[in-house]
Amino acid sequence: MIKKIFSFAAFALCLGIHGLLVSCSNSSTDYDMNVLLGYLNSGSSSPVVDDKSSIKPTNLGIYYEFETKQVTVSWADSPSSKLNHLKVFYTVGDGSEMSTVVAKGVQQYLIDDEIATGVSVKAKVVAYDASSEVGANSEATDEISVVTQLGATELRIPPAGTDASGNKIDAILSGNHFSEQKTLTTATGTIVRGNLEMDKFTLSCNDVPFADDEASVSFVNHNRLKVSFKIPDTIGDYTIKVSYDGANGTFDQSGTLSVKNYSAIHEGDLILSDTSTVPYSEGISYTDAQKDSAVSIIYAKNEYGVPLGVGLHNSKSGKKSGYYSWALEGSSIENIKFEDLICTPSTGTAALSSQTTFSGDTYGNNNWEDICCSNPKESVNAKIYYPAFYYAENYGDNFEITSAYKDGWYIPTISELAALYNKLSLVDTILNALGATELGSSSYWSSSQSDAKGFSAWNLNFNSGRASSVKKGNKFYVCVIRAFN
C-alpha cells in the first residue's frame, strides 16, 4: 500500500511536465491506487475567511488507475473532523465543469469516465461548514495531464574510486509514471496492478551486458528507480545504459561512470583552491599562502572510494553564523517525510562508533536536489523554509570560493557525519593550525531523514557521539562536506 507524501508541484518541476506528478498519500486512509499522477496542493488558492482553514481537506490528490483508465480525486479529513459539507468540482478535457456534493466522512470521489492519454483533468475540492456557502473556505485545485506511457529522463551516477572496484554503486534513474507491479487477490480473482515489469530491463557497460548478479533495478517511487551495478576494476569513463522494453513503454537512458585512482589522497590532506594538495604530517604548520588558498580537509573516503572533505567554515562563527533549522518550525513542510533520504544507524540513537553501520541513503550529494524535486514550492524560498540547506547551498558564495570548488558542498548524511566525527581530533587539529573554527563538541545537522514517527531528521552531538532523531524545526549548527573527484 502506498503511503508517501509529496507536493504535487514538486514533481511537476522535477519532471518538467506542467501539472504532472507521481506521488502518494500519507493520510490515515489507505488507497488501493495504481499510480498517483497528480497531487493537489493542500494550501489555500483563495483567501481564507472567518478563520475556517482548520476544516479544509488535506492531502488532496488525483489518482489514475491504469486498468480502468479512471481518475479518483481523494483527500484526508481535517484534524478537527469538521468537514460537514464538501463539493468536488472537475473538468475532463474541454468538457464542462461538473460538480458533486459528498457526505461527511467520504474521502474520495471516482470520476466515472475513461480518461484517454493526453487528456487533461482539472479538479478542486471545497470544504465548508453547515452555515457557509460553497467557496467560503479555502480550496485546493490543480490540473494534470493523464499520460500512461513510461519514460526515463536522466541516469545520475556518482563517481567511484578503484578502492571500491568490485563493489556495487547505486545510480538514480529519473523518469515518468513508474508503478511497481504487484499481483493482488480480489473477490473476482487475481489481477496484476502496476506498469513496471522488472524483468524487462537490460543493463550494460560500454554496450556489454552486465551479468545477472552484477546489476539490478529496483523501485523507489513513481519517478525514481535505483540502478545498482558493479564498479569496474580499471580507471576510465564507462557508459552505463539502462534499456526497458515493456507493454507500457520503451526507453533507453545512458550515463557516465567515472572511475579514478584516489590512492594518493589521504586523511588529513589539505585541498587547495588550485586543486593541489598539502599532505598531512604530525605537527605540520601551513604557510600564509596555503592558509589563504585552503578549501577543505580530507577526512574519509565514501563507500564508492571517493575522498570526502569537510569545509573549513561552519556556522559556529564567521559569515552567516548561528543555529539553523532543517525545516521551518511550525510549517506544514516540517512534517514531510522524504522516504528517499532515510538513513538508519545500526546503533539507533546510541553513541556512534567506527563499528556503526548504516542502511538506506548514505550518500548525501543529491539530498537537497531530492527535496527540491519533491517540494519545489517552498524550496525555491529555501532561506525561509529550509535554512540549514540554504546555508550549505550558498557556502561557496558566502565564503568567496572562486575556484572549481565553489559548488558541490552539501550537508552530510548521518553516515557521512559519523565518519567526520570519528576523525574529529585530526580535523580540529588542522582547523586550529589554519586559524579556522574547530568543529568542537557542538551538535550538527545531517541531511538524513530518520524513520521515526513525527517525521524527524538526524543530528549528531560531537561531544557524546550520540545521534538524535529530532523534529526538523529544532536548530543546530551546520557543517558542509564535498566529494573531491
Side-chain angles (χ1 to χ4, degrees):
M1 201 63 63
I2 299 174
K3 290 222 171 191
K4 296 181 184 176
I5 175 171
F6 296 98
S7 161
F8 76 93
F11 286 105
L13 289 184
C14 181
L15 302 181
I17 301 175
H18 175 68
L20 173 63
L21 274 182
V22 185
S23 183
C24 314
S25 172
N26 79 329
S27 69
S28 58
T29 301
D30 290 339
Y31 300 107
D32 186 12
M33 291 295 168
N34 191 32
V35 171
L36 170 59
L37 288 181
Y39 204 85
L40 295 182
N41 182 10
S42 59
S44 173
S45 60
S46 59
V48 178
V49 297
D50 299 332
D51 194 26
K52 296 172 183 174
S53 60
S54 63
I55 66 171
K56 69 183 179 182
T58 61
N59 295 353
L60 294 131
I62 297 179
Y63 296 76
Y64 181 74
E65 181 69 52
F66 277 99
E67 283 70 28
T68 64
K69 298 183 179 180
Q70 291 179 317
V71 163
T72 297
V73 181
S74 70
W75 56 91
D77 203 346
S78 66
S80 56
S81 299
K82 293 181 180 179
L83 300 186
N84 295 324
H85 297 72
L86 295 109
K87 198 165 188 177
V88 180
F89 298 84
Y90 65 91
T91 305
V92 178
D94 297 327
S96 302
E97 183 177 72
M98 308 293 289
S99 66
T100 185
V101 176
V102 294
K104 180 179 180 179
V106 174
Q107 293 184 311
Q108 61 182 31
Y109 176 74
L110 174 67
I111 299 177
D112 194 17
D113 296 313
E114 284 194 6
I115 312 298
T117 300
V119 174
S120 64
V121 178
K122 297 178 182 178
K124 67 181 177 181
V125 178
V126 179
Y128 55 103
D129 61 27
S131 62
S132 301
E133 297 296 329
V134 173
N137 287 302
S138 60
E139 62 186 41
T141 182
D142 192 36
E143 178 179 1
I144 66 167
S145 177
V146 175
V147 182
T148 60
Q149 284 293 102
L150 291 167
T153 56
E154 180 186 15
L155 181 61
R156 202 166 57 210
I157 306 173
T162 52
D163 288 351
S165 62
N167 295 340
K168 292 285 185 67
I169 191 169
D170 293 336
I172 291 295
L173 179 68
S174 301
N176 310 329
H177 322 142
F178 300 141
S179 177
E180 190 172 19
Q181 197 169 78
K182 296 180 179 180
T183 301
L184 305 176
T185 301
T186 68
T188 58
T190 300
I191 60 174
V192 176
R193 295 286 176 87
N195 63 357
L196 200 60
E197 303 165 85
M198 303 308 294
D199 61 345
K200 302 299 184 183
F201 281 98
T202 302
L203 281 72
S204 64
C205 176
N206 289 347
D207 293 326
V208 178
F210 283 104
D212 290 342
D213 62 346
E214 292 180 335
S216 62
V217 179
S218 56
F219 180 81
V220 177
N221 59 43
H222 294 296
N223 77 322
R224 299 248 174 131
L225 303 177
K226 182 170 73 173
V227 181
S228 301
F229 50 88
K230 184 179 178 180
I231 299 173
D233 296 329
T234 56
I235 298 170
D237 289 341
Y238 298 85
T239 299
I240 306 299
K241 185 162 125 178
V242 180
S243 301
Y244 181 81
D245 187 5
N248 292 295
T250 300
F251 60 78
D252 292 301
Q253 191 66 49
S254 298
T256 300
L257 166 66
S258 294
V259 180
K260 298 181 181 180
N261 185 343
Y262 298 110
S263 60
I265 301 179
H266 303 91
E267 295 169 359
D269 286 355
L270 188 66
I271 304 295
L272 305 183
S273 59
D274 63 1
T275 73
S276 64
T277 61
V278 179
Y280 174 76
S281 61
E282 189 173 351
I284 190 172
S285 61
Y286 300 99
T287 66
D288 289 341
Q290 289 171 335
K291 292 179 181 179
D292 290 341
S293 62
V295 172
S296 179
I297 302 166
I298 298 299
Y299 71 90
K301 290 182 181 177
N302 67 15
E303 60 188 302
Y304 303 142
V306 178
L308 293 178
V310 61
L312 303 185
H313 309 279
N314 56 68
S315 71
K316 289 176 65 175
S317 64
K319 295 180 180 179
K320 309 298 179 182
S321 62
Y323 297 100
Y324 291 90
S325 61
W326 202 100
L328 179 63
E329 183 181 13
S331 66
S332 60
I333 65 166
E334 187 185 10
N335 291 325
I336 297 177
K337 189 171 185 177
F338 299 100
E339 299 282 351
D340 296 351
L341 272 59
I342 292 176
C343 184
T344 306
S346 58
T347 52
T349 57
L352 306 182
S353 71
S354 58
Q355 278 68 52
T356 302
T357 58
F358 298 85
S359 58
D361 174 45
T362 57
Y363 181 59
N365 184 55
N366 298 317
N367 283 1
W368 172 238
E369 182 181 344
D370 291 342
I371 292 173
C372 293
C373 178
S374 301
N375 192 25
K377 182 180 178 182
E378 285 79 15
S379 60
V380 168
N381 197 357
K383 185 176 183 179
I384 294 176
Y385 290 102
Y386 293 101
F389 290 92
Y390 183 80
Y391 175 92
E393 277 295 291
N394 290 275
Y395 178 83
D397 285 329
N398 290 337
F399 295 101
E400 299 175 358
I401 300 174
T402 58
S403 67
Y405 301 136
K406 176 182 177 180
D407 301 318
W409 301 96
Y410 62 93
I411 300 175
T413 64
I414 188 62
S415 171
E416 293 167 324
L417 197 58
L420 178 58
Y421 168 74
N422 290 331
K423 298 297 178 181
L424 180 60
S425 177
L426 172 64
V427 170
D428 272 355
T429 296
I430 299 172
L431 287 172
N432 184 58
L434 292 170
T437 301
E438 298 178 5
L439 293 167
S441 58
S442 302
S443 292
Y444 294 88
W445 271 121
S446 81
S447 62
S448 296
Q449 171 85 55
S450 74
D451 204 16
K453 183 178 180 180
F455 304 150
S456 303
W458 290 105
N459 83 326
L460 183 59
N461 186 314
F462 275 31
N463 181 45
S464 64
R466 184 181 180 88
S468 298
S469 173
V470 296
K471 290 288 289 182
K472 298 171 187 174
N474 290 336
K475 294 182 178 181
F476 299 100
Y477 287 126
V478 180
C479 64
V480 299
I481 66 171
R482 191 185 190 283
F484 285 87
N485 56 298

